[in-house]
Amino acid sequence: MAQSHCINSPTTLAGKLSLRANSPFVSPRLLKTSISSKFNSRKFCSMVISASSSPSTVSGGPLKSLLLDNSERKNELMDAIKISLSNCLSETHLDSAVPGLHSKTRGKVRDIYDGGDYLALVTTDRQSAFDRVLASIPFKGQVLNETSLWWFNQTQHIIPNAVVSSPDRNVTIAKKCSVFPVEFVVRGYVTGSTDTSLWTVYQKGVRNYCGNALPDGMVKNQKLAANILTPTTKAADHDVPITPEEIIRSGLMSESDYIEASKAALSLFEYGQRIAREHGLILVDTKYEFGKGSDGAVLLIDEVHTPDSSRYWIADSYEDRFQKGLEPENIDKEFLRLWFKDNCNPYEDEVLPEAPEELVSELSWRYIFLYETITKSKFELPSTKEPIHDRIASNVSHALSSLL
C-alpha cells in the first residue's frame, strides 16, 4: 500500500528545534563520533579496493570517461594525498589563538567561531555521513571551501549570500544571520542510501514524500519527471523529512520566507544542473541552507553544490549504466557511504571500522577532480612549510582586524 511520509507533530519539533532556530550562519550539529583505529577484516575483505579503481566494486564496473581521461592528473596528486593522510585538518582551536573570536561551535565538518558581527567558518577535512563523522580526507576542507566560494559567486543573480571574504583556503568570513532550521533538499533522481534518501523511502512504499506525489514503478537512479523539493529539519541528532505545510504551521519559517527560499532552491538547482551538464556531469541532488540577515533579507549560507552536499554522476556513462542496472559513476561521497553500509551499521554501531586508506585517497582525488572540472581551475596544493593551523590563525586574525 502506498504511504505518505512526514515528520512528527509540529509542537514536538518546535521544542526540539528551539536552539537551532536561533543559531548563527551554519547551524551547529553537535554529535558524538566514534571512529575506531581498527576495522573488521572480514567485512573489509567483502570489498576489494585498489588505489586505481577503489570505487569500481561499489559502482558496478570499471571507471571510464572523464575519470579515466584525468588519470594523469590523478597520478600527479596521489603522492601528495597519501603523504597528507596523517596530516589532515581534523580539529581547530582558533578561539585560543585569534583575538576577537569568542566561542567555537563544532559542526560535523565546519568549526564555527563567533567574531561579533561576523562568523569565521573553518572547513575541516572531517568527512560526515549518516549523521556522524566517518574519517578525515586530505585537502577536503580546502576543496569544499573553494568550491562553495565559486558557486556563491556564480549564483548571486539568483539570491544574495552571506559571504564577506575568504582570507584562507579553508576559511570563509560570513555575515552573522539567523538560520532557518530547515534544509532545502532538491532532487532530480530517485537514488540514495541514507534513511532519508528518496530511494530508501520509495522502496518502503512511500508515494507521497514531503508533499510530492511519486508514481509507482520507478527504479533506483531513474530520473524524475521534474525536480522536487524535499525539505528536512532536525529532530534530536538526525534529519527528518517535513512538508511545506508543517514548516509554516509549526513556525519554523514564515510563509513568505519559505516561498522565497524554496523558489531560490529550485532555481539554484536548475542552474547548477545546467553548469554541471556543460562540464560533463549530472547534478543529481543537493541541499541548501538559508538564513535571514539583520536587514531582513533571505541569504544563501553554508555551502553550495559541493561533493559533500550534493551527488554528482558522470553524464556520458549514466544512460548505459542505468540500462544495465549498474550504479552510476559518482564523484561524491556516495561510495564511502556504501562501503560503511557494507561493513557495519553506521546508524547503530557505536564504534565504526576505519575506512581503508585506498578509499580515503580515492575520495580525496575525486573531490579535487570535481573542483577542477566545475571551475576549470587547477587545484593548488597547500604549502607544507607552515603548519596549517598556524596559517589559518594568522590569516583569520588579519582578516578580522581589517573588519573591526
Side-chain angles (χ1 to χ4, degrees):
M1 177 180 295
Q3 302 174 27
S4 178
H5 199 77
C6 60
I7 62 170
N8 296 324
S9 65
T11 52
T12 303
L13 283 170
K16 291 180 178 179
L17 294 167
S18 59
L19 289 176
R20 190 179 179 200
N22 297 316
S23 62
F25 186 32
V26 179
S27 51
R29 302 180 180 98
L30 304 178
L31 301 171
K32 293 183 178 180
T33 305
S34 299
I35 300 179
S36 173
S37 60
K38 300 180 180 180
F39 61 90
N40 188 311
S41 59
R42 287 180 297 174
K43 289 181 178 179
F44 174 66
C45 290
S46 68
M47 182 194 297
V48 179
I49 300 171
S50 69
S52 61
S53 61
S54 57
S56 64
T57 305
V58 179
S59 59
L63 300 176
K64 54 182 180 179
S65 63
L66 280 177
L67 289 173
L68 185 59
D69 290 344
N70 284 266
S71 58
E72 183 176 344
R73 176 62 173 151
K74 177 179 179 179
N75 292 334
E76 289 177 13
L77 291 166
M78 197 54 74
D79 285 345
I81 289 172
K82 291 184 176 180
I83 290 172
S84 297
L85 284 169
S86 60
N87 192 36
C88 291
L89 181 67
S90 299
E91 297 292 340
T92 66
H93 306 283
L94 298 189
D95 48 337
S96 61
V98 177
L101 293 182
H102 309 300
S103 64
K104 170 186 174 181
T105 300
R106 186 184 188 274
K108 285 182 289 185
V109 175
R110 289 169 183 80
D111 290 343
I112 308 153
Y113 295 91
D114 190 337
D117 293 333
Y118 304 97
L119 296 174
L121 311 175
V122 184
T123 309
T124 71
D125 296 329
R126 297 192 295 264
Q127 181 66 61
S128 70
F130 308 107
D131 293 312
R132 62 197 299 178
V133 176
L134 302 179
S136 290
I137 311 297
F139 311 126
K140 180 202 158 184
Q142 179 181 336
V143 169
L144 293 193
N145 193 57
E146 294 183 343
T147 300
S148 280
L149 289 168
W150 188 87
W151 281 109
F152 276 128
N153 185 57
Q154 297 293 316
T155 57
Q156 293 182 79
H157 65 288
I158 298 175
I159 187 170
N161 58 68
V163 175
V164 174
S165 65
S166 178
D168 186 273
R169 299 167 189 226
N170 287 68
V171 180
T172 294
I173 304 296
K175 301 173 187 176
K176 186 179 288 186
C177 62
S178 178
V179 176
F180 296 123
V182 176
E183 291 190 351
F184 288 74
V185 182
V186 187
R187 307 177 188 274
Y189 293 76
V190 182
T191 192
S193 58
T194 64
D195 283 355
T196 57
S197 73
L198 194 53
W199 176 241
T200 299
V201 299
Y202 189 86
Q203 277 187 303
K204 295 177 179 178
V206 173
R207 293 297 180 267
N208 192 307
Y209 192 51
C210 300
N212 300 284
L214 303 170
D216 288 326
M218 299 196 76
V219 297
K220 189 179 183 185
N221 303 324
Q222 183 174 346
K223 182 176 174 61
L224 292 163
N227 296 329
I228 62 172
L229 181 62
T230 60
T232 64
T233 190
K234 281 289 178 186
D237 61 352
H238 62 280
D239 296 329
V240 291
I242 185 171
T243 66
E245 292 76 17
E246 288 169 325
I247 291 171
I248 296 166
R249 187 169 63 247
S250 62
L252 298 180
M253 297 180 72
S254 69
E255 183 175 5
S256 61
D257 286 341
Y258 176 80
I259 290 173
E260 182 174 353
S262 60
K263 288 176 63 177
L266 289 167
S267 296
L268 287 163
F269 189 66
E270 183 179 350
Y271 178 77
Q273 284 184 310
R274 178 165 64 81
I275 297 300
R277 177 66 72 167
E278 290 173 359
H279 295 81
L281 303 173
I282 297 173
L283 177 59
V284 179
D285 52 39
T286 195
K287 63 95 177 170
Y288 306 102
E289 293 193 45
F290 300 93
K292 205 162 192 176
S294 58
D295 60 354
V298 174
L299 302 174
L300 178 63
I301 63 171
D302 196 40
E303 61 184 324
V304 188
H305 299 161
T306 71
D308 250 23
S309 65
S310 316
R311 285 186 179 88
Y312 283 93
W313 295 338
I314 302 297
D316 64 6
S317 61
Y318 162 73
E319 187 62 35
D320 180 63
R321 296 179 71 84
F322 176 71
Q323 293 299 330
K324 294 177 179 177
L326 301 176
E327 286 294 313
E329 297 177 273
N330 63 72
I331 49 174
D332 51 66
K333 63 182 180 183
E334 181 66 9
F335 70 85
L336 186 69
R337 289 191 191 103
L338 293 174
W339 185 88
F340 274 95
K341 289 202 76 172
D342 282 348
N343 288 273
C344 63
N345 185 331
Y347 285 110
E348 298 182 6
D349 291 354
E350 182 177 350
V351 178
L352 300 184
E354 186 174 350
E357 288 188 0
E358 292 87 353
L359 195 72
V360 170
S361 298
E362 179 69 26
L363 186 58
S364 178
W365 148 244
R366 290 190 176 208
Y367 272 36
I368 295 172
F369 166 79
L370 177 66
Y371 168 80
E372 295 188 337
T373 301
I374 289 290
T375 69
K376 294 301 179 185
S377 301
K378 187 174 183 179
F379 181 78
E380 295 184 16
L381 293 170
S383 171
T384 57
K385 294 181 180 179
E386 182 181 17
I388 186 170
H389 194 277
D390 292 350
R391 184 201 78 204
I392 291 174
S394 175
N395 289 336
V396 171
S397 180
H398 285 118
L400 290 179
S401 64
S402 67
L403 291 172
L404 300 179

